[in-house]
Amino acid sequence: MNKIWQTLARMILPLALLLSTVVPLSQASAAARDPVLSTDFEDGTVQGWTPRGSASLTVVTSEKHGGASSLLVGGRQATWHGASRDLTGRLDPGRKVHMSAWVLFTDGPGEQTIALSVQRGFAPGSGKSDKYDNVAQAQAAKGVWAKLEADYTVPADTDMNRISIYFETPWKPDNQATPGDLIPFYIDDVTITENAPLEIQHDIPDLHTVLDPYFPIGAAVDPVDLLNDSDVHSDLLKKHFKSLTAGNIMKPDALQPSEGTFVWTNADKLVQFAETNGMLVRGHTLVWHSQIPAWFFTDPADPGKPATREQLIARLETHIKTVVGRYKGRIAYWDVANEVLSESGGLRGAEGGSKWKDIIGDADGDGFDSDYIELAFQFAHEADPDAKLVINDYNLESSMSKLNGMVTLVQRLLAKGIPVHAVGFQMHISNSAPGIEQMRSAMEKIAALGVKVQVTELDMSIYANSSEAEKPVTEDILLEQAKRYRELFGMFKEEAQKGYLESVTLWGMADDGTWLDNFPVKGRKDAPPLFDRALQAKPAYWGIVDPSKLPVYRNAMRAARGTPVIGAAPDKIWQAMKPTPVDQRVNGRTGAAAEARTMWDEGHLYVLLQVKDSTRGSKDSAEIFIDPNYDKSAVYLPDDRQYTIGPGGSVPAGIQSVVTETPDGYAVQAAIPLNKAGAALEAGGRLGIDFRINDDQGDGVVASSAVWNDYTNHQSTDPSRFGDVVLGSAAKITDAIYGSPVIDGEVDGLWNRAQSIRTEVWVQGLPVRRRLPRRHGMRITCTSWPM
Ligand code: XIL
């Protein structure tokens, strides 16, 4: 490789990473695929792979993913050095393929990213330089084979004359590459298959049959072309959903792009499709500050001037009455007002990009400027008295100020006789937040006003926030998502049975059409819905339809290093640890639950279970299940243990345990002697663990049980379903002394009696030794206190 080429590669690669046409997809499609490439190195040859840069390639038997051999890629002197395989003539422009490969590294850092990329070259006269597409990346842990997998469409450049795939580590300039970036790695079982045309699974249960007893389950559709019989997405909709929302085509900019010109084609098509297929329609949306043409808010005589209050009210009335009137009796629910709250819970104004409030203001003089909302509901009600009218917003489940703002607004609207039937919770949530109980309590707060709740735009992003970089959709992520969909829909069903929740709509039916691929980060592929990019059911679907079909998701908790004293009361050191709730009910509706904490030293695992149990019975017990060698076997092997402890249980042999009564239940402390396969426990190691809290409510039978991890309740027979306990660093705790120091700019003498703690682990930034203000009875001499 010559120097100019190398320099170009360094400049172009990062750009190509951003612009690549890659669709990550971890879940395999059930559809059949023809092989384009299959290399497993089992014949002892390199099977057409060639060194990239200075790398050397050797077939070895010392490591292998499948069979007996793999390919060792060594001698790498730059991040882009690796192994390359020419596929010219096999990967033609426009071809859609699925790539998968396994990679391993055994030297260097604990974790390293290994990437699979594509290099495309162009005819000399084309004036184009080579392009580099990053297809898939795996964050591999040292010593563990990691899978790289993605769908890839060869860009349709007809002047492409060379194409190859290659493995590398993420690009860095040569002078920044560390030895960890240049590690040798192994590759194995590299396959490329042609993607078969999309086909839905006909042999799985219809989603709606599981949910019909509770609420109509709906999906947003965008674009409307998906409703053509020739498009397989329409089969997916017909099979699984009972309600449709237009993703875009019923918004004001689509229905009335210029004043008086209504465009009905797409909306008519959607309503017609729903009727033909026995689905109801949620109309979305009449009044919004977004996706509304500018003419609404400008003076018809002079577009340089804003519309007057009277002009805007007249337009509001015409728009709503024309649209709602056209579909009278055919659209069950209308999102009348969308996103009218500001982040602080007041009415959105110019700061939030809305002109509605500022122009219409307090037209009826009652002291409130929500008149545009009130009028919108009245116009909609006049146009179709049977349609249920909804006020819809986001973050109601996560932001107290928005929820409180909605409560205040709806209370006032109802008191004024405005026909508000339901509050729509958009519910653009993520795999990690908010908590299920928080969402439940937000819904119940609304239901307490006497209006219904509708979930109108549910999706569950795999990203926690907009700063997270694109990541591959791993099996773990999908199982975590499935677990959350299972819990969420469990809560939805309960709220529907209470008469609070009356409809649930997902914002998109499959990963291939999710708006979150471009929001809040453009081009960052997400995977929120229940079906994947090949329209196959994801674990999330099974989480709702039949969780027994899923492997149990492994939660992880952290054990701090330390040796708590097992005594008359739990050792103070436990207070340094975050508790983990043991509250998934596997039997009964209500009853005892617990908070668990774990610690470890070389020879023991320590457990503290603080059980909340308001009834005492002879069969009350707390069970601890442990898989010390972490082999996750599906049957009990000699190392696996089950201990039953508690006020009603006997103290198991071989461990030290104490049960003490607490004001709201009891506490179990246990010291369990452990060594891992004969060796001492080590920081960074993992054990399998689960807990079960059994509640005898006084009549000698276990009426309820709550567990931490295995919600299928097979702890006693199947250690593969336990969660993980990760052996972490030392627990630290300090005493806060009693006293009231004066905070006045002078250092109160009292502080000299307070303990000083020091933190030496930096989580971010560079260590700068400085003294922080001393407060709350502790002196803290640094910024981060690791726990
Ligand atoms: C989104 C659509 O899905 C996108 O296609 C469009 O580009 C922007 O709007 N809240 C809403 C929906 O009420 O109308 C939005 O829909 C998503 C957020």
Side-chain angles (χ1 to χ4, degrees), residues 558-566 571 573-574 577 597-607 626 628 656 670-676 678-687 725-731:
R558 186 176 165 279
R561 186 176 186 137
T563 306
V565 177
I566 307 291
D571 193 321
I573 188 120
W574 287 112
M577 305 209 50
R597 291 171 167 89
T598 50
M599 293 184 71
W600 69 282
D601 59 25
E602 282 75 6
H604 291 83
L605 184 76
Y606 302 91
V607 175
I626 307 187
Q656 194 191 349
I672 302 168
L674 277 189
N675 53 28
K676 244 185 138 173
L681 301 183
E682 265 180 29
R686 284 178 187 244
L687 313 174
V725 58
V726 184
L727 306 180
S729 52

Side-chain angles (χ1 to χ4, degrees), residues 427-620:
M427 281 222 175
H428 297 290
I429 62 174
S430 82
N431 265 13
S432 50
I436 304 290
E437 291 312 311
Q438 182 180 349
M439 295 191 268
R440 185 203 299 275
S441 95
M443 289 184 171
E444 295 196 348
K445 206 163 168 187
I446 293 294
L449 304 174
V451 291
K452 300 283 182 189
V453 170
Q454 300 195 359
V455 172
T456 54
E457 304 181 16
L458 175 65
D459 48 27
M460 199 183 286
S461 171
I462 64 168
Y463 300 100
N465 53 51
S466 55
S467 47
E468 241 188 282
E470 180 165 333
K471 59 187 178 188
V473 187
T474 60
E475 205 61 28
D476 263 5
I477 292 177
L478 292 173
L479 287 178
E480 182 185 33
Q481 184 179 58
K483 169 191 173 226
R484 214 161 132 69
Y485 266 113
R486 177 177 64 76
E487 291 171 356
L488 186 64
F489 274 73
M491 184 269 275
F492 286 170
K493 288 177 181 174
E494 287 167 11
E495 297 310 295
Q497 277 175 327
K498 290 179 194 165
Y500 299 160
L501 176 65
E502 70 175 355
S503 91
V504 175
T505 293
L506 290 136
W507 205 247
M509 59 187 121
D511 289 345
D512 65 341
T514 175
W515 76 298
L516 294 183
D517 276 356
N518 290 303
F519 184 90
V521 181
K522 197 152 179 53
R524 181 181 71 175
K525 297 284 182 215
D526 206 333
L530 306 181
F531 297 91
D532 68 18
R533 287 174 197 272
L535 307 189
Q536 308 300 293
K538 289 165 64 181
Y541 160 91
W542 290 109
I544 298 171
V545 170
D546 184 358
S548 72
K549 294 263 190 311
L550 290 175
V552 169
Y553 177 73
R554 293 183 78 95
N555 292 293
M557 68 186 294
R558 186 176 165 279
R561 186 176 186 137
T563 306
V565 177
I566 307 291
D571 193 321
K572 241 181 352 201
I573 188 120
W574 287 112
Q575 294 165 17
M577 305 209 50
K578 211 173 136 226
T580 301
V582 180
D583 62 359
Q584 292 204 69
R585 204 148 300 284
V586 291
N587 164 23
R589 286 181 71 88
T590 54
E595 287 188 334
R597 291 171 167 89
T598 50
M599 293 184 71
W600 69 282
D601 59 25
E602 282 75 6
H604 291 83
L605 184 76
Y606 302 91
V607 175
L608 172 66
L609 288 168
Q610 282 169 309
V611 183
K612 279 208 170 80
D613 185 351
S614 53
T615 57
R616 195 61 74 248
S618 59
K619 293 266 176 9
D620 280 339

Side-chain angles (χ1 to χ4, degrees), residues 222 247-248 251 284 288 291 338-339 426 428 457 507 515:
D222 182 50
N248 284 304
K251 292 173 179 170
H284 176 84
W288 195 17
Q291 292 181 273
N338 195 29
E339 304 184 353
Q426 292 188 0
H428 297 290
E457 304 181 16
W507 205 247
W515 76 298

Side-chain angles (χ1 to χ4, degrees), residues 1-2 55 139 144-145 151 226 337 351 358 374 435 486 489 519 582 586 635 639 651 719 779:
M1 197 164 303
N2 66 42
Q139 178 92 21
V144 183
W145 282 97
D151 276 353
L226 302 183
E351 84 301 329
D358 292 344
E374 297 161 21
R486 177 177 64 76
F489 274 73
F519 184 90
V582 180
V586 291
V635 292
D639 70 301
V651 175
R779 292 167 52 167

